[in-house]
Amino acid sequence: MATALITGSARGIGAAIALRLASDGYNIALNDISEAMFENNDIMDKIKALGVECEKFICDVSNYEQVEATVKAVKERFKTIDVLVNNAGITRDGLLARMSEEQYDTVIAVNQKSVFNMSKFVGNIMMRQKSGRIINLASVAGLYGNPGQMNYSATKAAIIGMTKTVAKELGSRGITCNAVAPGFIKTPMTDKLTDAQRDAMLAQIAMKRYGEVEEIAGVVSFLASKDASYVTGQVIEISGGLSM
Ligand code: NAP
């Protein structure tokens, strides 16, 4: 049975992607930064109820050595890694004039270096398998910029460049690499925004509503499926028509 590894998947978009890929028939390797993220959380039970195997692997995806060890452990447990979803991400928002070096560096490490770490070690396994799907979580902030998110938008724009580079480097080995760029999706990450920030965002959305995590998971499921076998290096915006 094929296996999908989803980073930052204890909650939010990552958990929805894990559930969807489980319902597609994948064994699931969950990841998050701490065991605590899985407490009071029934994601593993929900996945196992779908009849697939599921294991959690605690690791900080910004840490090169931890990622190397985790990828090795996932491979040992499940024998193959067929789908990698680089989902883990954080925000540390602030206007440029007030953003600290720490705020900038932390977001770069978690959102961007993690994609290098994971893609390198999982990519090596996929190259030996001569097949695989890598799907990266970018953002509309990486396509259009967003005030207060110099750090975050930098990482999401970088992820788009990384996606195209991985697609070009690994395409001849039967590996595709694509990105999705969500707009405003209801999750703990966006719960932190003020009402004014939410209203400003809603005014720009053609569909006049926020997205649901399942609406991201559905597109990721497509990119992981046979139907997307000739799609690579692409960025699919999932934003209810934020920009047209
Ligand atoms: P979320 O609810 O905050 O979930 C992200 C998960 O990743 C959290 O459980 C988080 O744990 C975990 N994580 C953070 N740092 C990690 C690390 N170093 N190693 C491993 N796991 C780590 O976020 P979300 O809204 O679902 O977002 C998921 C992805 O979609 C992110 O890449 C985000 O940038 C992107 N995205 C989201 C939206 C949106 O509207 N929500 C829009 C565009 C793009 P902690 O809580 O402990 O940090």
Side-chain angles (χ1 to χ4, degrees):
M1 198 185 266
T3 302
L5 164 60
I6 306 106
T7 67
S9 47
R11 67 174 197 199
I13 293 172
I17 291 171
L19 259 179
R20 176 59 195 259
L21 294 179
S23 73
D24 292 342
Y26 290 93
N27 286 330
I28 300 294
L30 294 171
N31 154 261
D32 220 288
I33 191 163
S34 75
E35 194 74 47
M37 294 303 297
F38 290 96
E39 282 162 14
N40 304 319
N41 175 337
D42 57 358
I43 181 70
M44 287 193 75
D45 293 339
K46 282 185 181 161
I47 288 171
K48 285 179 182 166
L50 292 165
V52 300
E53 291 177 46
C54 178
E55 196 94 49
K56 60 179 185 310
F57 297 85
I58 305 303
C59 122
D60 175 354
V61 289
S62 69
N63 183 300
Y64 188 82
E65 285 79 22
Q66 283 187 31
V67 169
E68 182 175 25
T70 296
V71 170
K72 195 167 172 246
V74 175
K75 171 83 162 69
E76 274 167 17
R77 168 67 177 80
F78 289 109
K79 309 302 173 216
T80 67
I81 305 178
D82 305 280
V83 177
L84 165 66
V85 184
N86 283 309
N87 167 80
I90 58 167
T91 52
R92 296 288 183 270
D93 295 353
L95 292 172
L96 175 56
R98 280 191 234 122
M99 183 176 287
S100 68
E101 187 182 8
E102 197 269 335
Q103 267 173 298
Y104 186 80
D105 289 345
T106 306
V107 172
I108 299 291
V110 175
N111 294 10
Q112 184 177 326
K113 191 178 173 211
S114 63
V115 177
F116 165 72
N117 293 342
M118 276 287 167
S119 304
K120 175 175 172 175
F121 292 114
V122 175
N124 285 344
I125 290 169
M126 288 177 170
M127 279 200 282
R128 286 196 288 277
Q129 291 171 180
K130 295 195 169 49
S131 69
R133 300 292 168 88
I134 300 176
I135 300 149
N136 296 325
L137 270 285
S139 166
V140 291
L143 291 169
Y144 312 118
N146 200 24
Q149 292 196 317
M150 172 89 162
N151 48 5
Y152 183 79
S153 58
T155 65
K156 296 304 183 178
I159 284 172
I160 292 170
M162 294 164 103
T163 299
K164 291 171 194 271
T165 298
V166 170
K168 287 185 176 181
E169 282 195 20
L170 305 189
S172 65
R173 309 289 187 99
I175 299 162
T176 68
C177 183
N178 292 286
V180 294
F184 189 101
I185 312 301
K186 272 187 280 178
T187 70
M189 180 181 275
T190 47
D191 287 345
K192 287 186 231 158
L193 298 179
T194 64
D195 285 347
Q197 283 173 315
R198 282 202 202 103
D199 290 347
M201 189 69 91
L202 201 54
Q204 297 171 51
I205 299 172
M207 296 186 77
K208 298 296 170 211
R209 67 172 178 85
Y210 309 129
E212 302 290 338
V213 290
E214 292 78 13
E215 293 176 308
I216 308 301
V219 178
V220 170
S221 164
F222 162 70
L223 289 170
S225 75
K226 281 204 183 86
D227 288 338
S229 52
Y230 202 51
V231 179
T232 197
Q234 303 306 304
V235 183
I236 302 182
E237 183 173 329
I238 315 168
S239 67
L242 184 67
S243 83
M244 281 182 280

